[in-house]
Amino acid sequence: MPLTTTTNQHFSICPSIFLRHIRIRSPSPKFPPRFSQFSISRPNLTSPSAAMLLPQNPVLSDVCASAVSAAVAASCLRLWEETARRDLFDQKLNRKLVHISIGLIFMLCWPLFSSGPRGAILASLTPGVNIIRMLLVGSGMWKDEATVKSMSRYGDRRELLTGPLYYAITITLACVIYWRNSPNGIAAICNLCAGDGFADVVGRRFGKRKLPYNQNKSIAGSCAMASAGFLSSIGFMYYFFSFGYMQCSWELVFGLLVVSLASALVESLPISTKLNDNLTLTITSIAVGSLVF
């Protein structure tokens, strides 16, 4: 019998033998047009709910996550208050270490919460409580010398009503409005914490060459701000991307770079010295981010 006839007969009798070797390929996922050209495929490290403390009970999980994030933030603040009390660092350096670390450490806790508005609101309670704290301590209604020493430049409690207050408000609003699936909130917090913090630290140490239009700012400090803000934004972009909260693309990377450069430029202007750079760079970051993202 010819080989072709035998094969046809065998296939008609046992089609499953042949079908086992047929690989069915599902269509590739469709990304939004803005991510289509240079999208980075998700590494599938975990799912959006995998980091939740109690995935089977989201409400209780968010309450527990709020307690955990508050404890982490309070522990970090307590650490810097203790270093300030013991004079382990210069007061200005200690203040900037608080400035750099608190917001970024708090943002690391965001995956513990659920993805909906409830998670964002409960997460915002931690910096929200610090708004009240800054108002009470800054106005003199609550005596807390350790907080004043760790967060002020010159040991004046009234300083807490400006920079530290704006800092807490920025993180609270970024948490509630943008949450963890928006690059705008990530960029605002990273440029405020890492960018502005390292600008001061590097500027004081290596800032001998001043900017021609502002003798209070240095070239080294402005470069450090743009670099630290951008690199930390990239790090948190990938951090939240690994949980599936957002997409990664070269367009998004370029947008984060633009926001960091714009924030560094505005922070270097004399108006930021006269007002408060926590306020001016945050407004700039959100405004520019709304245009590029």
Side-chain angles (χ1 to χ4, degrees):
M1 182 180 294
L3 180 60
T4 56
T5 305
T6 304
T7 302
N8 291 336
Q9 290 178 351
H10 185 64
F11 179 73
S12 63
I13 295 173
C14 302
S16 61
I17 298 177
F18 290 86
L19 293 176
R20 290 174 187 171
H21 300 283
I22 299 176
R23 184 179 180 182
I24 302 175
R25 300 180 64 184
S26 58
S28 59
K30 301 294 184 181
F31 293 102
R34 64 186 304 170
F35 298 111
S36 60
Q37 187 174 2
F38 296 108
S39 290
I40 305 172
S41 59
R42 182 183 167 200
N44 198 25
L45 299 180
T46 184
S47 64
S49 61
M52 293 176 60
L53 299 177
L54 300 169
Q56 69 277 10
N57 192 335
V59 176
L60 181 59
S61 181
D62 284 341
V63 173
C64 293
S66 183
V68 170
S69 61
V72 170
S75 299
C76 189
L77 281 173
R78 179 60 180 169
L79 171 65
W80 298 126
E81 288 173 0
E82 190 66 21
T83 58
R85 187 180 68 83
R86 296 174 180 269
D87 293 322
L88 297 180
F89 303 110
D90 175 76
Q91 184 170 345
K92 294 179 180 178
L93 176 59
N94 198 96
R95 173 179 172 272
K96 281 303 174 182
L97 292 175
V98 175
H99 188 100
I100 293 169
S101 61
I102 294 299
L104 300 182
I105 290 176
F106 168 64
M107 200 156 49
L108 289 174
C109 298
W110 285 6
L112 298 176
F113 295 87
S114 61
S115 298
R118 181 186 62 246
I121 293 173
L122 287 177
S124 69
L125 292 179
T126 297
V129 168
N130 272 305
I131 295 176
I132 301 174
R133 185 184 183 190
M134 294 303 103
L135 291 172
L136 293 177
V137 177
S139 63
M141 297 177 63
W142 179 14
K143 302 295 183 181
D144 191 343
E145 293 301 325
T147 298
V148 173
K149 192 172 183 179
S150 64
M151 293 188 182
S152 63
R153 285 188 176 94
Y154 307 108
D156 187 349
R157 59 174 173 78
R158 290 171 295 182
E159 294 180 53
L160 273 62
L161 298 176
T162 53
L165 179 61
Y166 300 151
Y167 181 96
I169 291 175
T170 296
I171 296 178
T172 302
L173 294 180
C175 184
V176 173
I177 297 173
Y178 297 106
W179 200 208
R180 59 197 179 194
N181 58 347
S182 170
N184 213 350
I186 295 173
I189 294 178
C190 287
N191 283 289
L192 172 64
C193 298
D196 185 49
F198 278 102
D200 187 83
V201 173
V202 175
R204 291 182 183 278
R205 186 173 181 84
F206 304 104
K208 294 181 179 180
R209 296 183 61 183
K210 302 299 182 180
L211 295 172
Y213 54 87
N214 188 354
Q215 291 300 306
N216 293 319
K217 303 291 183 178
S218 66
I219 296 176
S222 294
C223 291
M225 176 175 177
S227 301
F230 174 63
L231 293 176
S232 60
S233 297
I234 293 295
F236 274 96
M237 177 192 71
Y238 189 81
Y239 177 66
F240 291 127
F241 163 69
S242 67
F243 287 94
Y245 302 138
M246 60 188 304
Q247 295 287 347
C248 278
S249 74
W250 290 114
E251 182 183 357
L252 183 56
V253 171
F254 179 74
L256 293 173
L257 176 61
V258 171
V259 172
S260 295
L261 291 174
S263 299
L265 175 62
V266 171
E267 193 271 345
S268 70
L269 297 176
I271 188 175
S272 292
T273 305
K274 294 179 181 179
L275 297 177
N276 188 280
D277 51 10
N278 285 1
L279 178 63
T280 56
L281 75 87
T282 297
I283 293 175
T284 301
S285 179
I286 293 176
V288 175
S290 300
L291 297 175
V292 300
F293 297 130

